[in-house]
Amino acid sequence: ILTSWNALMVGGLAHAARVFGRADWLASSRRALEFLRGTMWKDDRLLATARDGRAHLPAYLDDHAFLLAALLEVLQADFRADDLAWAAELGDALLESFEDPAAGGFFFTSHDHEKLIHRPKPGHDNATPSGNGVAARALSRLAFLTGETRFQQAAERTLALFWPAIARQPAGYASLLAALEETLRP
């Protein structure tokens, strides 16, 4: 069980539930979200994978970004104050563990991850959206809900970092373009 892929499903299902007015889909997305909260969120840290009821491995950027985005989709469909508080915790974890405040953007691995030869900051979308794009959009939305400017500032630094690449090849950066659109017109 992967946090990132399940978070993508939760977000998509919650969005569809809101658009189509399907309470059963919302209930299903909420059950999956509660599983992620109960199994993958341990001691204020997110874990990446679970098997046979045991979660392990520290989570990556995509896990955090996708889960934050999913949680915000659920909040739009069914607001609960404890979900907003958890979203703020996830936002703080993103900033503390993955952000490069000097250059902008987010590293794929956390600051306390084992040392690697190369520590990427992926911005280009692949089969899944870019963790940086999803993080920027989710943090911008979180800033709007909480009034916490640090979330918006991190999103804007991310967009500034990737702007030259977006301008050269916009088709490869749809998730960052979506973040840019919501930044310009919330």
Side-chain angles (χ1 to χ4, degrees):
I1 298 169
L2 302 175
T3 298
S4 61
W5 290 10
N6 276 274
L8 288 171
M9 180 275 305
V10 167
L13 194 55
H15 182 82
R18 183 171 49 87
V19 169
F20 293 107
R22 293 287 304 262
D24 56 330
W25 293 354
L26 180 58
S28 182
S29 68
R30 182 152 293 284
R31 281 191 304 275
L33 182 65
E34 291 306 321
F35 169 82
L36 291 172
R37 180 184 277 170
T39 304
M40 309 305 260
W41 182 251
K42 298 291 182 191
D43 302 320
D44 296 327
R45 287 199 60 134
L46 189 61
L47 300 171
T49 187
R51 184 176 176 149
D52 299 326
R54 184 180 158 270
H56 57 102
L57 300 180
Y60 298 94
L61 169 62
D62 290 1
D63 299 302
H64 285 81
F66 296 174
L67 183 56
L68 176 57
L71 186 52
L72 294 171
E73 282 293 342
V74 172
L75 275 165
Q76 282 189 270
D78 179 31
F79 183 85
R80 295 184 185 175
D82 63 320
D83 286 340
L84 182 57
W86 187 33
E89 288 180 62
L90 283 169
D92 286 335
L94 257 172
L95 298 183
E96 291 168 15
S97 297
F98 298 91
E99 186 189 16
D100 180 351
F106 297 89
F107 292 103
F108 183 71
T109 57
S110 66
H111 299 313
D112 62 356
H113 191 270
E114 68 180 287
K115 298 298 177 212
L116 303 173
I117 294 171
H118 173 64
R119 192 171 175 217
K121 274 192 227 175
H124 199 278
D125 294 318
N126 288 300
T128 57
S130 157
N132 270 283
V134 173
R137 188 173 183 209
L139 288 168
S140 184
R141 288 178 167 194
L142 185 59
F144 185 78
L145 290 172
T146 64
E148 294 289 342
T149 58
R150 68 183 184 279
F151 297 137
Q152 185 63 42
Q153 291 165 350
E156 290 172 3
R157 283 190 297 270
T158 301
L159 291 168
L161 171 70
F162 288 106
W163 176 248
I166 294 168
R168 280 192 312 273
Q169 189 184 25
Y173 297 88
S175 61
L176 281 160
L177 284 171
L180 177 61
E181 180 180 34
E182 283 197 17
T183 297
L184 296 174
R185 284 186 283 166

